[in-house]
Amino acid sequence: MNITGEIKFFLGDGDYAHLKFSESRTSFSIDIVSVPAAYRSKGIGSLLIGRVLLMADTMDKDIYLSARPIGAYTVERLSRLVSYYQRFGFSVIDEGLTMVSMKRIAKTAGAQHAVI
């Protein structure tokens, strides 16, 4: 059985950031992280990701994601995205031409996150 969920962060004037995730019996996956351009680099995406990390760690479940830039693909954009997720403890497990699959092992109970 898979459970899906969404976390929304309302920004005003009808704008919102959101993160969609899935949970299976053994793991979580981050499916979409979307923050409007005007609100990027303000920690909103990190806040949303931190919530899912907390849920996964509480349940002792690993987390998977596929990182791919929105819009025009460049090696630099993909590299920046990979570096961003590595800050949360994700590691590359597979690389394609325009995307990278990543995994984060569940942290033990009581472990602190860099960003929550």
Side-chain angles (χ1 to χ4, degrees), residues 24-52:
S24 72
R25 191 171 62 83
T26 58
S27 65
F28 274 80
S29 69
I30 294 176
D31 304 319
I32 296 172
V33 179
S34 177
V35 178
Y39 296 93
R40 292 185 187 146
S41 298
K42 298 182 187 296
I44 296 167
S46 295
L47 177 71
L48 296 173
I49 292 166
R51 299 292 180 198
V52 175

Side-chain angles (χ1 to χ4, degrees), residues 42-112:
K42 298 182 187 296
I44 296 167
S46 295
L47 177 71
L48 296 173
I49 292 166
R51 299 292 180 198
V52 175
L53 298 180
L54 184 61
M55 285 189 290
D57 288 348
T58 299
M59 298 176 181
D60 196 32
K61 294 183 179 186
D62 298 340
I63 307 172
Y64 295 87
L65 63 83
S66 293
R68 77 189 99 195
I70 294 173
Y73 166 81
T74 66
V75 172
E76 179 186 346
R77 289 181 74 205
L78 182 59
S79 178
R80 280 188 302 186
L81 196 55
V82 167
S83 294
Y84 175 76
Y85 285 115
Q86 286 174 331
R87 290 184 6 214
F88 297 99
F90 285 90
S91 298
V92 173
I93 56 173
D94 193 25
E95 295 184 51
L97 293 175
T98 60
M99 66 177 273
V100 174
S101 296
M102 302 182 81
K103 178 182 180 180
R104 180 182 174 275
I105 304 285
K107 303 282 185 194
T108 58
Q112 296 294 316

